[in-house]
């Protein structure tokens, strides 16, 4: 594993078989621990996870708030091993392991065997990846697509081969089926063409055409679905930016920036800041500059987004695919072994804690704080209360025709935990235009009698739409300070929406 500052375009570097086997064994060991942790996990599905599961049961080319890849992935894992929580989440550790392997290939291509080897291990143990490996989210397939696209672009820049151009296009297209922010990869390519002069000419217009056609071919089914349904996903994505009202939030920008020390790790993010500072003062090696083109634009976009409105800490995760290789290669090249070992050791400990802690969810009696898994507890118990009311009403000869919910997240949880219920579970329309997937696909249209499940007490505007309103239950679900309200109403005599 010799040290090199970088690989010039036109050279071909492949992974050594012995190094690859050693890495595969380590990554598979990490994967085995994370899969075991899924089966020990005592948390309920988060409502986004439950929503994606419900989408998987209704395969489509698109959904209201997200492209379809996440649903397709969950559909595959649940078809293999069932609908339990571990199977719903199973793709997360598997796909993160695949992403780590692609990062290995990127590191080998741009630097050397050692940089690729350690970059893969560092990525697999990043705090953000450790958290993400225990849940299912759109980040999981998205990051794999981003890594594949970056690998393909590195190869294309070195070889200008048609196969690499097609791989790049397909990876971008698949990434767009995971998250529309895959479009930022195209922006990073444009930045790279400016910074790395000669790249565009070396690749040539024919290859760029292949990239564009490949991406369009893969993403076109979702474009068609959006066009046929009034572009709801595009509209929801724009709404997520929340560029209305005040557009000056410096504290939110600082909060987002500070959160990156947790997502990427304090040592690694600090090292990344140093690398960026150096890049402003002197010319870095070409591989470093190339990777920065796929890091800085992403971070800057979301810092600005946080400043203007808001940005979740994980939104910049795509930038850490390239950042992992860049930071690891720089630390190895400069012999910063003390910092590197400290970071890797810290992340390994955090990874173990994050993997095993959910096994104790609901049992953590913290004197000055809520259970950290509070948002992932109580949903199954709530659904059990609803099931009991439905069954009791049926025994008394007053069966409910439907179960009605006035909140997307609560509805998603009940679709999952009442998946064997023989009653339709419907959404109360919040207005003439659907505001989420369930209002679009399963709106309430006056069926009755209905059992209303609410966490908001007495939604007056809703209750006034019925001639008969009987409160059936009002109680707290959960334990101690970690509880959520539950109110059930028997509704009959729907008056209509106007």
């Amino acid at each position: 594993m010799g040290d090199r500052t970088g690989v010039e375009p036109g050279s071909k570097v492949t992974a050594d078989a012995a190094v690859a086997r050693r890495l595969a064994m380590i990554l598979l060991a990490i994967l085995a621990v994370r899969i075991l942790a899924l089966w020990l996990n005592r948390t309920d599905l988060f409502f986004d996870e439950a929503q994606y599961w419900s989408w998987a049961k209704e395969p489509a080319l698109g959904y209201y708030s997200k492209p379809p890849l996440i649903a397709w992935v969950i559909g595959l894992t649940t078809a293999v091993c069932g609908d339990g929580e571990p199977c719903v989440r199973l793709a997360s550790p598997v796909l993160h392991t695949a992403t780590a392997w692609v990062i290995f290939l990127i590191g080998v291509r741009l630097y050397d065997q050692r940089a690729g080897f350690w970059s893969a291990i560092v990525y697999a143990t990043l705090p953000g990846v450790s958290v993400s490996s225990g849940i299912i989210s759109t980040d999981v397939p998205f990051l794999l697509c981003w890594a594949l696209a970056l690998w393909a672009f590195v190869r294309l820049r070195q070889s200008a081969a048609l196969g690499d151009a097609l791989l790049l296009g397909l990876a971008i297209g698949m990434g767009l089926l995971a998250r529309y922010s895959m479009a930022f990869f195209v922006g990073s390519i444009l930045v790279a063409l400016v910074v790395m002069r000669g790249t565009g000419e070396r690749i040539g217009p024919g290859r760029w055409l292949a990239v564009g056609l490949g991406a369009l071919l893969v993403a076109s089914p979702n474009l068609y679905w959006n066009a046929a349904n009034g572009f709801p996903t595009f509209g929801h994505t724009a709404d997520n930016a929340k560029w209305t009202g005040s557009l000056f939030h410096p504290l939110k920008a600082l909060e987002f920036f500070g959160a990156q020390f947790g997502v990427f790790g304090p040592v690694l993010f600090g090292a990344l800041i140093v690398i960026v500072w150096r890049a402003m003062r002197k010319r870095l090696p070409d591989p470093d500059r190339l990777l920065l083109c796929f890091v800085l634009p992403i971070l800057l976009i979301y810092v600005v987004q946080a400043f203007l409105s808001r940005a979740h800490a994980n939104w910049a995760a795509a930038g850490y695919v390239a950042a992992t290789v860049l930071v690891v290669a720089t630390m190895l090249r400069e012999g910063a072994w003390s910092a590197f070992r400290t970071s890797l050791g810290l992340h390994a400990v955090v990874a173990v804690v994050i993997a095993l802690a959910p096994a104790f969810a609901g049992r953590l009696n913290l004197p000055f704080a809520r259970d950290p898994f509070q948002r992932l507890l109580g949903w199954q118990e709530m659904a059990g209360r609803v099931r009991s009311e439905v069954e009791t009403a049926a025994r008394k000869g007053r069966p409910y025709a439907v179960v009605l919910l006035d909140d997307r997240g609560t509805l998603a949880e009940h679709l999952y935990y009442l998946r064997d219920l023989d009653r339709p579970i419907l959404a109360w329309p919040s207005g003439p235009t659907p505001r989420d997937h369930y209002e679009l696909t399963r709106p309430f249209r006056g069926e009755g009698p209905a059992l209303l499940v609410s966490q908001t007490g007495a939604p007056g505007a809703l209750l006034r739409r019925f001639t008969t309103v009987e409160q059936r239950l009002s109680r707290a679900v959960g334990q101690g300070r970690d509880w959520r309200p539950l109110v059930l109403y028997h509704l009959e005599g729907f008056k209509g929406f106007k």
Side-chain angles (χ1 to χ4, degrees), residues 195 271-285 288-289 292-293 296 326:
V195 173
L272 178 61
I273 293 173
V274 171
I275 293 171
V276 172
W277 174 252
R278 289 179 181 175
M280 296 168 60
R281 303 178 66 190
K282 66 178 183 179
R283 182 185 178 91
L284 299 179
D288 296 12
R289 295 168 64 227
L292 274 176
C293 294
L296 275 183
L326 171 62

Side-chain angles (χ1 to χ4, degrees), residues 262-330:
V263 175
F264 195 43
V267 176
L268 298 183
F269 194 66
L272 178 61
I273 293 173
V274 171
I275 293 171
V276 172
W277 174 252
R278 289 179 181 175
M280 296 168 60
R281 303 178 66 190
K282 66 178 183 179
R283 182 185 178 91
L284 299 179
D286 277 1
D288 296 12
R289 295 168 64 227
L290 177 65
L291 290 173
L292 274 176
C293 294
F294 294 87
V295 178
L296 275 183
I298 309 304
L299 288 175
L300 289 175
I301 285 170
Y302 285 117
V303 168
V304 171
Q305 166 63 26
F307 180 84
L308 294 176
S309 173
R310 59 158 191 162
H312 296 303
N314 67 301
W315 285 7
Y320 297 127
V321 172
T324 298
V325 182
L326 171 62
V327 171
V328 169
T330 301

Side-chain angles (χ1 to χ4, degrees), residues 30-51:
I30 296 173
L31 174 61
V33 171
R34 284 175 168 160
I35 291 177
L36 175 62
L38 290 181
W39 261 262
L40 297 176
N41 192 323
R42 291 170 51 88
T43 65
D44 298 337
L45 292 185
F46 188 55
F47 62 76
D48 277 344
E49 297 177 293
Q51 175 180 247

Side-chain angles (χ1 to χ4, degrees), residues 130-388:
S130 294
V131 172
S132 181
S133 293
I135 59 177
I136 188 68
S137 72
T138 55
D139 283 344
V140 179
F142 171 68
L143 289 175
L144 177 57
C145 293
W146 188 284
L148 284 170
L150 181 57
W151 180 51
F153 180 69
V154 168
R155 290 172 57 95
L156 182 62
R157 182 173 176 270
Q158 293 174 355
S159 69
L162 177 60
D164 293 329
L166 291 173
L167 176 60
L168 175 57
L170 295 176
I172 291 174
M174 288 298 291
L176 289 170
L177 293 180
R179 283 179 56 177
Y180 292 152
S181 52
M182 188 72 195
F184 294 151
F185 191 92
V186 179
S188 287
I189 288 179
L190 296 177
V191 173
L193 294 181
V194 173
V195 173
M196 313 298 292
R197 296 187 179 183
T199 296
E201 294 82 354
R202 186 182 304 114
I203 294 174
R207 298 297 185 256
W208 289 121
L209 179 61
V211 172
L213 290 176
L216 182 62
L217 176 67
V218 176
S220 58
N222 182 245
L223 296 176
Y224 168 79
W225 181 90
N226 268 278
N229 290 276
F231 294 96
T233 319
F234 285 69
H236 175 80
T237 302
D239 289 342
N240 250 354
K242 295 189 179 299
W243 288 358
T244 57
S246 172
L247 296 178
F248 186 78
H249 304 281
L251 291 181
K252 287 188 177 181
L254 288 173
E255 180 183 351
F256 172 81
F257 185 81
Q260 303 313 303
F261 285 93
V263 175
F264 195 43
V267 176
L268 298 183
F269 194 66
L272 178 61
I273 293 173
V274 171
I275 293 171
V276 172
W277 174 252
R278 289 179 181 175
M280 296 168 60
R281 303 178 66 190
K282 66 178 183 179
R283 182 185 178 91
L284 299 179
D286 277 1
D288 296 12
R289 295 168 64 227
L290 177 65
L291 290 173
L292 274 176
C293 294
F294 294 87
V295 178
L296 275 183
I298 309 304
L299 288 175
L300 289 175
I301 285 170
Y302 285 117
V303 168
V304 171
Q305 166 63 26
F307 180 84
L308 294 176
S309 173
R310 59 158 191 162
H312 296 303
N314 67 301
W315 285 7
Y320 297 127
V321 172
T324 298
V325 182
L326 171 62
V327 171
V328 169
T330 301
M331 295 177 80
L332 297 183
R333 184 171 63 225
E334 299 185 359
W337 282 106
S338 178
F340 181 78
R341 290 182 183 125
T342 298
S343 177
L344 188 58
L346 174 63
H347 292 182
V349 172
V350 170
V352 172
V353 171
I354 290 174
L356 298 181
F360 302 94
R363 304 177 185 177
L364 300 174
N365 297 317
L366 305 177
F368 304 108
R370 290 176 176 242
D371 189 309
F373 300 102
Q374 187 266 339
R375 297 180 72 191
L376 299 173
L377 297 171
W379 296 111
Q380 189 168 344
E381 180 185 350
M382 179 182 292
R385 299 288 179 181
V386 174
R387 182 192 302 276
S388 177

